[in-house]
Amino acid sequence: MTSPEKTTTFLDRLSEVATEASRAANAHNTQPWELRHGTDHIEVGWRAEDALGPSDPAHRDLRLSLGTYVESLLIAAAEKGIAVGFDLDLDITARRVGRLRPAERPYDTGFRASDIAGRRVWRGAWTPQQIDPEAIEAARETARTAGFRVAAISTAAARPLLVRAYHWFFGDPGIAAELMAWTRLSPRHPKYHRDGLNDVMLVLNRVERFLMGLLFFPAVYRALRPLGLPRLLTPLSSGATAGDGVVLVILGKGEDPAQEVTAGRLVTRLWLDLFRQGIYVHPQSHVIDCPHTVGDLAALCGAEDGERPLVFFRVGIPAVDPSLRPRHPRRDLPPQ
Ligand SMILES: Cc1cc2nc3c(=O)[nH]c(=O)nc-3n(C[C@H](O)[C@H](O)[C@H](O)COP(=O)(O)O)c2cc1C
């Protein structure tokens, strides 16, 4: 049994690394995680107000994001020699995905806190450079070990699905409103340095920033939507699959929502490993959420035996160095 003194130290020390872990990738930069201190453990849960609605209808991205956070926290703790383990225990009513508790030894990982701190997504242009097939093979192997499968498809094959999914995405008033609620187009926005999607990481120039603010303004959106606004916006946004790059899709078996937390942990390991090789990712969730594309995506990935797509992301080499640009903010970290 753990002594009360040892437990206090464990809980205090874990709080130290929670800030570093908040660099974890997460949907819309909502940072939904919440740590609830118990006497001998910390519950990992989420805040209802930070859970997306129409843009994440099944809350799959929420659970994935909590998984990325847990994995990042375990990595950050391991570097400080803090022995912590995670017990998955999803309870939707209690808004909890599991518990962090003292362990015999620190988490066994080859990643460092600096990997977590450096990683970021890339939504800009890509070079034509093909990524090393060994990197894809390594991703497949990592996924296999974790009980998932990674399928690699060409961006050319994924593009028609992405265009259809964007059309659905931009045509849904609920999704459009939520996108704007989490978008910060100017540093004057009161939450610009706190959370959400900023103009820099959306890689918007001045004109695009202006157009986005205008076209998504509720009255303008309502007036233009029936006149074909979604069709106008779609080609502007589906550039993620331009060129001859590769899209990786993580597939899981069965419908258990708890596996999405585990898949989120895998996402962190995959993205950090790619990042170490100079390979960036651009996730595109709506291809999975869109009812008109998820079936075709599963077929494209050769899904069988109850497999379903969980995460979709383009991989490649950015045309400009992303590290020269400010990154997405975090509530607990100073602006960078
Ligand atoms: C589960 C999950 C789903 C995501 N879905 C999308 C997406 O559909 N489109 C997108 O541009 N970014 C997506 N992202 C990336 C997040 O927006 C990004 O991680 C967040 O804004 C923080 O930025 P950073 O990862 O660069 O620190 C997703 C990330 C996660 C973990």
Side-chain angles (χ1 to χ4, degrees):
M1 213 175 130
T2 325
S3 73
E5 199 177 290
K6 207 169 159 195
T7 306
T8 311
T9 316
F10 159 81
L11 295 175
D12 292 346
R13 296 199 66 203
L14 211 53
S15 302
E16 282 170 35
V17 294
T19 311
E20 291 173 61
S22 70
R23 269 269 152 241
N26 67 97
H28 276 32
N29 199 19
T30 49
Q31 306 161 49
W33 38 78
E34 182 172 73
L35 294 183
R36 303 174 195 139
H37 288 237
T39 44
D40 60 352
H41 68 273
I42 296 180
E43 234 180 64
V44 183
W46 67 91
R47 285 182 298 269
E49 64 270 27
D50 295 328
L52 294 169
S55 336
D56 184 19
H59 275 183
R60 187 192 66 256
D61 276 357
L62 172 69
R63 290 184 282 275
L64 287 164
S65 301
L66 292 159
T68 67
Y69 178 72
V70 166
E71 185 73 12
S72 304
L73 201 139
L74 293 178
I75 293 170
E79 180 153 336
K80 292 228 159 63
I82 307 170
V84 54
F86 175 71
D87 297 326
L88 179 67
D89 181 24
L90 176 67
D91 183 331
I92 290 172
T93 315
R95 282 187 281 110
R96 177 186 73 217
V97 291
R99 291 180 194 83
L100 297 158
R101 39 97 194 136
E104 286 297 308
R105 57 188 72 83
Y107 180 52
D108 186 11
T109 175
F111 295 111
R112 321 240 8 200
S114 56
D115 294 311
I116 301 169
R119 184 217 56 83
R120 61 179 75 189
V121 298
W122 175 244
R123 300 189 183 87
W126 303 91
T127 66
Q129 193 185 331
Q130 296 298 303
I131 71 163
D132 187 347
E134 275 183 27
I136 297 179
E137 200 36 56
R140 285 190 202 277
E141 186 49 36
T142 306
R144 238 188 322 263
T145 311
F148 294 87
R149 181 164 78 84
V150 161
I153 56 179
S154 72
T155 59
R159 192 170 162 79
L161 303 191
L162 197 69
V163 168
R164 231 186 297 155
Y166 262 117
H167 190 61
W168 165 82
F169 185 84
F170 288 134
D172 183 308
I175 295 178
E178 196 162 63
L179 178 65
M180 287 320 279
W182 286 97
T183 299
R184 287 83 175 94
L185 292 175
S186 145
R188 286 196 302 272
H189 190 290
K191 295 184 181 168
Y192 191 85
H193 296 294
R194 198 172 174 269
D195 55 22
L197 303 163
N198 67 39
D199 54 328
V200 176
M201 280 311 284
L202 291 174
V203 199
L204 301 175
N205 62 32
R206 268 175 161 210
V207 175
E208 290 163 336
R209 215 167 51 192
F210 170 75
L211 280 176
M212 190 165 176
L214 175 72
L215 298 175
F216 282 95
F217 188 74
V220 177
Y221 177 87
R222 265 197 310 276
L224 296 185
R225 183 173 162 266
L227 304 176
L229 178 64
R231 275 201 196 287
L232 178 78
L233 294 168
T234 295
L236 299 177
S237 308
S238 46
T241 51
D244 0 293
V246 174
V247 166
L248 299 185
V249 182
I250 302 177
L251 297 116
K253 268 197 182 164
E255 297 296 323
D256 182 3
Q259 74 165 330
E260 293 156 358
V261 182
T262 310
R265 294 186 57 185
L266 168 66
V267 162
T268 293
R269 298 198 293 279
L270 292 180
W271 292 1
L272 292 183
D273 197 36
L274 292 166
F275 180 73
R276 277 188 167 180
Q277 302 168 68
I279 300 167
Y280 281 74
V281 307
H282 182 182
Q284 301 275 281
S285 301
H286 32 294
V287 188
I288 299 177
D289 293 318
C290 170
H292 318 302
T293 52
V294 64
D296 287 352
L297 177 66
L300 208 53
C301 296
E304 50 188 31
D305 290 343
E307 276 183 332
R308 64 180 173 125
L310 298 173
V311 191
F312 172 109
F313 52 101
R314 156 91 186 237
V315 290
I317 316 291
V320 292
D321 182 358
S323 69
L324 299 174
R325 305 162 67 88
R327 56 193 24 201
H328 269 128
R330 294 295 191 270
R331 285 179 200 127
D332 302 333
L333 292 167
Q336 294 180 354

